[in-house]
Amino acid sequence: MPETPTPAGNNSLRSRKESENSSTWRVSVFFSIVVGITGVGSYLMADYLWELGWTFSSGLLLVLFTILFGYLSFGFCHALFGFLILRLGLKSVRLSDSVDTVIAAQEGDPPLQRAAVVIPIYNEPVDRVFSGIEAIFHSVMKEEYPDAFDFFILSDSTDPEQWIDEEAAWLKLCRKTKAQDRIFYRRRPKNHAKKSGNISDFCRTWGDHYRYMIVLDADSIMSGRTLVELLLRMEQNPQVGLIQSVPVLVGGESLYGRIQQFSNRLYGPVFMEGLAFWQECGGNFWGHNAIIRLRPFIEHCDLPELPGKKPFGGHILSHDFVEAGLLRRAGWEVWMAHDLGGSYEEGPQGLIESAQRDQRWCQGNLQHSLLLAARGLRGKTRIHLANGILGYVASPLWLLFMIVAFWKVTDHGSGAFLESEVMARGLLVLGITMALLFGPKILCLIDLILSSERSKSFGGRMNAITGAIVETFFSALFAPINMLFHTRFVLSNITGATVEWSAQRRGAQGTNWDDAVAVHGPHTLIGTLVGIAAAFIDPLLFWWLFPVLLGLWISIPLSVWTSQSDIGRMTRKEDMFLTPEERRPPREVAGALSGGGFLDQRFHGIIAAVLDPFLNAVHVSLLRRNRRRLIRGRDIYGDDASGKLPSDGSHEEYRALAERLLEEGPKALRKEEAVTLLSDIESMLWLHRQAWIRPSRGLAREWQTAIREISSAV
């Protein structure tokens, strides 16, 4: 029977109706203020443009200004409402109180329904992924319900060395934790539909065995306490389909990473309080660090392919927003647990890495434009979708606004703008805009200063104030660079270009000068040409554009410098951009980021899969299990269930690949050939026997070295 979101009892029904009435009131108040601020700003801008003399460019400027000013007002109101709630001691909007007051575990109480913790991975750093899982597992084992969670590592990795390293790390993790019956691993032969397809595969295969699913990313970290609290809240609220925790950034090594980490930690709590004020049970899903009720998710969130060609058609890339909307459409509540700590993730460590991630998100969010008018979606869902779209479309709109303003200045001359009455109105509009732009940072900083306990976690009030000032300066430099990045991404998508959903770079690897010149060279050139043109046309125009042009002029050295880990360590040594998690690292974060030594540095990958008898046997057994699924007709990758793995070919082709592998070494095979060979059961068994019985002269040097090391160790 389908699971329906029907609360138990009349009291629950009454409280739900009261919640809906409260939600309507909150939405009305919040968006009335957003509209009011936008209306005042638009009126003042129209009055200013009228004084200059109304032209076609004036109308275009007013339309662009209204959209962008409204977007700024929306963000400002989150900070304003969050600040008022926190400072006036108002009751926060949350699903329930802490687990300590929600449920008192009593003898004879029914056990908790079990949850599956799923970790989709795609060519991720193996040591970091498995050390993170180990840290989370040990944290869970210290809680009052240690047996309530099983862990599933869902691999979509396409690199053959990565594939085997993951299997070897999984074996080591199972041995270390003695949790062979709690931690599972599988790799899909085809990564159909990317991450959403990976999760769909799990739901079809294991969804009937669990009531809940907790989705983590490869870089996610969660404490056992937080996992238990999320589970208990779901148990006590049967009308809830999803609870999203609020992960904070950790692990920043470069200057860029530490700046982002600091701003996320300083400004995040106030903004999240304001977001919770109006969204209540109509929250959003961010794709990870969230708990999901599996039955309604399976029944209502099987995503269709969008009509048309890529980038707007095809598989939905930013699937999380849509899945939350589909749960809401079916009557389930979606909440944000902004009051819970113990949820963490890592961020990009450089401007270019951040832009690469934004490029994928941009394409995914622009797809949502086809869903804005979809039948049955709730109003709050449409707001979330529109906000995600505008987060990227705002950049080309800002650029267009600046171009039209540039045009208007050249049309009128700077003298028209310096007349006393015109200038006074212009400064008023500029002042209000700056207040909306920088007001949220000021409110968040005031909230921190007024809380002595929170100030100490940032190294003291002066340390936090200094960090906020320097962070604002760097944000001003990053802003025009990101504006050009996002503008290019949006225009590329509109013209039909698409992007592959590739693996993210983890850690502060640093941006080299060649990459920085290749990526930021156009930014520097654009900034230089615009600066020269502005100075030639009117010196006043040049100084008006100077704050924007400065970031573009120095984009190359800025990108290189801020991506370096040694610069990040220097600021950490001086306690600059200090965060609570750096000052007192949580046990789970420290364990995950320390690295668990899951990889054997002497030999690993294909060589280990062939030579190590235990790893070879486990690898073959996993291939057999996958084959049995296909034979039983459980192929969910889009092909007919033929009983054969996708890589099956003729015996002669496999044998030729295997001989080349032994005689010339793993580097002699292309990636596709290595995956094909690793996917064949008979070839893997044959390779293991041949590698150990053949004379050394018949093996490549890599095999000889590995065999000697194994023999000497034995």
Side-chain angles (χ1 to χ4, degrees), residues 488 501 633 671 704:
R488 179 167 66 85
W501 205 270
K671 184 171 74 171
Q704 297 176 28

Side-chain angles (χ1 to χ4, degrees), residues 160-161 163-165 167-168 171 603-620 623 661 674 677-678 683-685 687-689 691-692 703 710:
E161 299 284 344
W163 173 11
I164 300 304
D165 287 345
E167 291 183 345
L171 290 176
F603 60 94
H604 56 89
I606 297 175
I607 291 179
V610 171
L611 292 180
D612 186 334
F614 188 62
L615 180 57
N616 183 269
V618 169
H619 177 76
V620 168
L623 292 179
L661 175 63
L677 203 55
L678 289 171
S683 294
M684 291 305 298
L685 294 172
L687 279 166
H688 177 66
R689 289 193 301 270
W692 281 107
W703 299 105
I710 294 173

